[in-house]
Amino acid sequence: MEVNPLSIILVKSDSKGDRLLFRYPFHMQEKNEPSNARRRNPYTLPIVDDSLQTIPQPRSNINKCQLTGFTDEVLSSLFAVKPELCNRKFELKVNDVRFVSHPTLLQLRKKQLDTSGCLLINVVFALQALATHSVVKCYHDLSKLMGILLEHEETRCGYVNDEMQVMMTAHDDGYASNPDAAFLTILEKSILAKNLKKMYEDLCGTGLVNIRINRWIPLNFCLPQKVHQWHLQGKLVEPEDIDRCIKSLRPYHSLLLLCPVQSINDFISLDGSPSLKRMLTQYSPLKNLQTLATDSDLTPSHIFDLTAHLVYWARATVIYPICSTNKYVIAPEASLHLNSPLVDKFSELFQGMNLIRAISEFSLPTSLGQKCNPLHHPSQQSTLVQMIIWMLQNHLLLQLHTYIQFMIADQFVANQSESESISATRKMRTESESGTSTISEGLESKSEAETKNSENFSYNSTDEDKHDYHEELLLDFTDEERSIIFKIPASNNTDDLRLFARLCRKKYFTGNHHIEEIMYLENLRRSQLLQLLDKFRDVLITYETEDPTIAMFSCP
């Protein structure tokens, strides 16, 4: 995997010269076995290649996912940079290896050891040349963080100078002929070397670095491209994807922890954010972020920042609060079989329940309300909710949201034209029959006629004003769309038509906003919005799919 480091290298440079102090792993030697070292047949004729026709093979400095082909002297010369290149990003590509670091210039606490009092320290990460820009940036940030902490400890207690002396003594005390022996001795005696070793193992393992520099200052680092692999197998999550998701967070979203609260509290350092601990005490996947902020006595913006932190560190994901109207379906990438370890874990957590049988009930989109029986005991409903939470944490289910699209169907236009012709025929027939009625039946007194004419005039005037107002509401529609909308019975209701026109004008019926988002942005009740969709169902198409904002975290 291209996100894993090939090696960690520590180089120093001062007035006494430059030197490679430590590298890990160090058991891979630069001297590869030559190709002619193998036993050969002495009677074979040598093959003479045509140098003009032979294409030289590109040289590789990677062997079994580790750095090779560079001596300590070469690496020391490469990374003992000039002072002009210090305190900035350093990147170098050699064959199929990319080196990245942040050289840091320190002021030594004990100046008698160095006439200038300056020391260049460089923590270098060797990566595959194909590593993405975001991966390179993360490793540069880690090297920069290491430089800052080492500078702090050197200023405080001369830590770097002491560790440097331990490493140089190991190199000088008869181990120069065997670098591995020197590195082993350094690993036994140097705290900094042990930190670098654990950092390499954490980066290759979980992607979470948790060490203490000089047994004092905590260093916590997350490599998102690696850390999300444990719950999104085979999916590379870039920091840009996480930022895009976080920027799309809304107060109606909710937080779903991927591990127990206690494990998160154990991971938080002693000087961790107290607001994070307070939020975790009020956490529930049934609460939206706005409610969580209120219960935690924190601002919504602070809750968003804490949510972004947990998502970045793969401790949580973003969902919609679990409620009875949520619709769930089996995730397409959910791979379940009888021998799956998830089956045994599910049986251990929920006694007497079978995962295959439980998840089969969501083969078709099913709402949580359909699974809840009001006659059941509250404990059974609570168990169902906990099962849904567990399936979401393991990416076995995904939630479907309803999206709306305004569309005038051709079939609807044809049906309306046919209805208009039938109505016209009936009207002509009615007028013909009414012409043969007797004159006496249509006589009215003069006063009654004048009164009725006056009322009819007022009524017609009101209808004309109402029609003009409805026309103004639909100014953004085409003539064909207006004519079809006016044929819908719900268009006679001014409130319904006004709400329909407002939602259309704000582009909510373009298939880019789901019902929950419209409810939040327009402060509408679900029943109110569903009634409107039903009244204008002739020109509105609804479909169900997952929310693209959080789709990247819903399934591997």
Side-chain angles (χ1 to χ4, degrees), residues 98-371:
R98 188 182 303 275
F99 300 96
V100 59
S101 68
H102 189 89
T104 304
L105 195 62
L106 309 180
Q107 192 69 30
L108 288 176
R109 180 181 176 88
K110 303 176 183 179
K111 295 186 178 181
Q112 66 273 15
L113 298 178
D114 190 348
T115 55
S116 65
C118 293
L119 171 66
L120 166 70
I121 199 75
N122 198 359
V123 180
V124 185
F125 293 96
L127 310 174
Q128 296 185 24
L130 298 177
T132 62
H133 174 73
S134 61
V135 172
V136 174
K137 182 180 182 302
C138 289
Y139 279 100
H140 168 251
D141 293 340
L142 179 55
S143 178
K144 182 178 179 180
L145 181 58
M146 276 292 296
I148 294 174
L149 297 181
L150 292 178
E151 181 181 12
H152 176 273
E153 285 301 282
E154 175 61 27
T155 304
R156 186 179 70 89
C157 61
Y159 169 71
V160 177
N161 183 58
D162 294 340
E163 293 294 309
M164 181 180 66
Q165 295 302 319
V166 171
M167 296 179 184
M168 292 182 64
T169 301
H171 283 295
D172 296 336
D173 288 349
Y175 299 107
S177 60
N178 188 356
D180 283 1
F183 289 141
L184 283 173
T185 302
I186 292 172
L187 197 57
E188 293 175 358
K189 297 182 177 181
S190 172
I191 301 176
L192 180 58
K194 294 178 181 178
N195 285 337
L196 294 177
K197 175 180 180 292
K198 187 176 187 304
M199 179 184 297
Y200 175 85
E201 294 173 347
D202 289 345
L203 290 172
C204 294
T206 61
L208 292 175
V209 178
N210 186 12
I211 60 178
R212 283 188 176 270
I213 303 299
N214 195 19
R215 299 174 181 174
W216 179 257
I217 301 180
L219 188 153
N220 296 319
F221 179 81
C222 171
L223 186 63
Q225 298 89 345
K226 179 74 175 182
V227 73
H228 286 273
Q229 292 291 326
W230 74 272
H231 72 101
L232 295 175
Q233 293 84 0
K235 188 172 184 179
L236 185 64
V237 178
E238 298 286 356
E240 295 79 7
D241 300 330
I242 301 177
D243 293 339
R244 194 181 308 113
C245 173
I246 297 304
K247 291 179 180 178
S248 302
L249 274 182
R250 296 292 182 268
Y252 57 78
H253 282 128
S254 180
L255 191 67
L256 177 65
L257 296 182
L258 299 176
C259 51
V261 175
Q262 185 59 40
S263 65
I264 299 179
N265 288 327
D266 295 340
F267 186 80
I268 299 175
S269 58
L270 296 177
D271 57 346
S273 172
S275 58
L276 177 59
K277 299 178 180 179
R278 191 191 316 166
M279 185 189 74
L280 292 177
T281 59
Q282 300 296 329
Y283 157 77
S284 172
L286 280 67
K287 299 179 182 179
N288 58 34
L289 296 180
Q290 186 172 2
T291 304
L292 184 60
T294 303
D295 296 344
S296 305
D297 195 20
L298 299 172
T299 61
S301 59
H302 196 178
I303 288 291
F304 278 30
D305 293 338
L306 296 176
T307 300
H309 178 77
L310 292 175
V311 171
Y312 188 89
W313 285 70
R315 290 295 186 262
T317 186
V318 179
I319 62 171
Y320 187 80
I322 297 177
C323 59
S324 60
T325 57
N326 289 4
K327 279 192 175 182
Y328 299 101
V329 69
I330 300 177
E333 291 80 4
S335 179
L336 282 178
H337 48 83
L338 294 178
N339 297 326
S340 174
L342 293 178
V343 176
D344 296 333
K345 291 181 181 179
F346 185 84
S347 300
E348 293 176 1
L349 291 175
F350 306 98
Q351 299 294 330
M353 303 297 295
N354 181 272
L355 177 59
I356 304 298
R357 187 181 301 109
I359 201 173
S360 64
E361 299 179 0
F362 296 93
S363 299
L364 296 176
T366 306
S367 66
L368 188 57
Q370 293 175 302
K371 307 302 298 179

Side-chain angles (χ1 to χ4, degrees), residues 44-103:
T44 58
L45 295 176
I47 299 176
V48 180
D49 295 334
D50 187 353
S51 59
L52 297 179
Q53 300 295 330
T54 304
I55 301 176
Q57 296 295 326
R59 182 179 177 182
S60 175
N61 293 106
I62 302 176
N63 186 6
K64 297 180 180 180
C65 298
Q66 294 181 7
L67 182 66
T68 185
F70 294 97
T71 63
D72 293 351
E73 292 75 14
V74 171
L75 294 175
S76 176
S77 300
L78 286 175
F79 306 129
V81 300
K82 296 181 179 180
E84 293 79 7
L85 299 178
C86 292
N87 300 321
R88 64 179 63 183
K89 182 180 180 181
F90 177 84
E91 186 174 346
L92 175 66
K93 180 179 177 295
V94 180
N95 296 328
D96 55 349
V97 179
R98 188 182 303 275
F99 300 96
V100 59
S101 68
H102 189 89

Side-chain angles (χ1 to χ4, degrees), residues 286 350 381-391:
L286 280 67
F350 306 98
Q381 298 184 6
S382 177
T383 302
L384 176 61
V385 172
Q386 294 301 321
M387 290 168 55
I388 297 294
I389 294 174
W390 187 88
M391 293 180 188

